[in-house]
Amino acid sequence: MESDTSPDTGSPVSSSDFGFAFNDVNFSDRLLRIEILPDLPGSKPDADDSLADWARNRKRRRDDQLTNAVELADQREEQILNGNMPDLEDGVTYENQEEVVAMVEELPVGGEIATDQSGHEAAQRNEASSSMDYLTVQVKTIHISSPILAAKSPFFYKLFSNGMRESEQRHVTLRIQASEEAALLDLLNFMYSNTLPRTTPTALLDVLMAADKFEVASCMRYCSRLLRNLPMTCESALLYLDLPSTILMADTVQPLTDAAKQFLAARFKDISKFQEEVLNLPLAGIEAVLYSDDLQVASEDAVYDFVLKWARVHYPKLEERKEILSNRLLRFVRFPCMTCRKLKKVLTCTDIDQELASKVVMDALFFKAEAPYRQRSLVAEETKASFRRFVERAYKYRPVKVVEFDSPRQQCVVYLDLKREECVQLFPAGRVYSQAFHLGGQGFFLSGHCNMDQQSSFHCFGMFLGMQEKGSVAFTVDYEFASRTSPSEDFVSKYKGNYTFTGGKAVGYRNLFGTPWTAFIADDSPYFINGVLHLRAELTIKK
């Protein structure tokens, strides 16, 4: 059994089953009068609506409410400017129209409450207002127990214990839309029995909205759990992330939104495979995908390029695009993991506010300049942070650190780290590639292989240096491969050579450590330090 929290003391309240007392005059001390206003044409959902229909109906009702509010504001402005009264032949005065719209406007924050001693005066007043506005108001009455409702809902607790005259009255009136009727009745039933008669996805979403409106946290938690246990789809995940902000911010619904984000992140973790689908995701969907550490992309450079592409598709106006990038999307880009060449392009990108661009690039460069132990500390500190900047994703091309020299000769020192798990996955014939780096204006890369040794007698680890671009310019490069080795943990040279690159070629050594694969990958291997293989390549252009 779940327990609720008392709105007054915060202490647990037993979730006993009082279903037998629901709408029973013998166990009730109040009469709830529910006035049901008709929905606008086409906005009332059917019981068997799909999630897509539910979302469209909700959007239509939200748009209609906004339109009505705008029209009311326009009418007020026209009345003030013209100083004219509306045509009385229309059967409605401005004051009455304003009153009805105001009551409808108040519904999203908990509905209108009207109480009186006999219950007749409020009914007559509301019926008169309704008749003048050509609205047919249906009325339902339900016998309720104020202690039960107050224990479940701060909304009802305040209503019944506010110390005012209304709290002592027997009759309480709520005014709702017709589309909310079934959900409210289900909600009231839940407050007695802790269960719901309808558990279809659309019914649960309706009750979730009502539970948020009337502050019934236990029902929100119950609906969230049932929805989370249903099969998740892209449609449902996006719908859960598009619920009103008051629901999304509730702790009781957090497990549902987390599950929706995790589903989308897993579904679209390979952006290159689902590029068109990901481009069509709404903002909440793309944020869920970009948050993931398991995003399978070539590099963080590719993430940055994709974010710009998505923003240009969905926000063609430059100012809107700048705002959405600055406030929502760029926080998901891990700039410290990007290459320096791409960071230079960030500084000149017209889609990004220049002050923000300078800040993220400066922060990224400071991180790259930190000592390795400090970088590891920064990564560890943000493992539970809302947005991660330093944690590397599951890049297809492993990040490298490069130190470049222009004199006395063009030279670079490249550092590549591989985790033991990554190396284990290479067996029996896998390869892992580094991100590109540049020397003498040409792009190079490193690669680690699981391959057979020269005599094809056993598997071993090989390391190679490749040149990206094919071109007519020939480069003669001296290279040296080294690896940190226990117990000294210093870099120890493993292989030296020189090669004339003409583009599209790779050179290296098939058995870098001169040992079989099983010894290389073993738990006591001297080449893995704290589970990481540290490789270094020194390249010098030979004149």
Side-chain angles (χ1 to χ4, degrees), residues 446-499:
L446 298 174
S447 62
H449 298 209
C450 177
N451 44 216
M452 302 297 289
D453 74 328
Q454 286 81 347
Q455 287 74 39
S456 298
S457 56
F458 55 81
H459 289 88
C460 54
F461 181 85
M463 184 173 177
F464 294 83
L465 169 67
M467 188 177 187
Q468 280 189 319
E469 299 88 354
K470 292 184 178 180
S472 57
V473 179
F475 277 79
T476 300
V477 178
D478 290 335
Y479 62 92
E480 178 182 2
F481 298 153
S483 171
R484 289 191 186 273
T485 306
S486 296
S488 68
E489 298 186 355
D490 293 329
F491 278 104
V492 177
S493 178
K494 294 298 179 181
Y495 186 75
K496 293 182 179 180
N498 64 80
Y499 188 76

Side-chain angles (χ1 to χ4, degrees), residues 307-441:
V307 166
L308 288 184
K309 185 176 182 180
W310 185 93
R312 288 165 182 165
V313 169
H314 291 265
Y315 297 89
K317 294 182 179 180
L318 179 60
E319 289 306 314
E320 293 180 356
R321 186 161 65 248
K322 276 188 175 182
E323 182 178 355
I324 207 70
L325 285 169
S326 298
N327 297 332
R328 298 292 294 270
L329 290 180
L330 289 182
R331 58 186 176 179
F332 294 101
V333 179
R334 303 177 186 186
F335 290 95
C337 299
M338 290 171 56
T339 64
C340 291
R341 290 171 69 90
K342 183 63 73 173
L343 289 174
K344 291 179 182 178
K345 294 183 178 180
V346 174
L347 291 173
T348 58
C349 180
T350 58
D351 293 331
I352 303 176
D353 177 77
Q354 287 304 298
E355 184 177 349
L356 177 61
S358 298
K359 182 182 184 305
V360 296
V361 170
M362 188 67 69
D363 290 345
L365 294 177
F366 273 125
F367 176 79
K368 290 177 181 292
E370 292 280 9
Y373 80 91
R374 178 57 182 158
Q375 291 180 345
R376 291 192 293 270
S377 175
L378 290 171
V379 169
E381 288 174 3
E382 70 166 11
T383 52
K384 295 184 179 180
S386 300
F387 302 99
R388 297 173 182 174
R389 295 181 297 161
F390 310 124
V391 176
E392 295 179 357
R393 307 182 198 262
Y395 300 121
K396 294 179 182 177
Y397 301 125
R398 302 301 302 146
V400 292
K401 300 170 185 176
V402 184
V403 181
E404 300 182 40
F405 302 92
D406 290 329
S407 62
R409 291 188 295 177
Q410 287 186 307
Q411 182 184 30
C412 68
V413 183
V414 185
Y415 298 90
L416 171 64
D417 293 344
L418 299 176
K419 297 177 182 178
R420 183 189 296 272
E421 304 83 62
E422 294 175 300
C423 294
V424 169
Q425 292 174 2
L426 297 179
F427 188 85
R431 301 181 181 186
V432 59
Y433 294 92
S434 78
Q435 295 178 3
F437 56 92
H438 292 77
L439 177 64

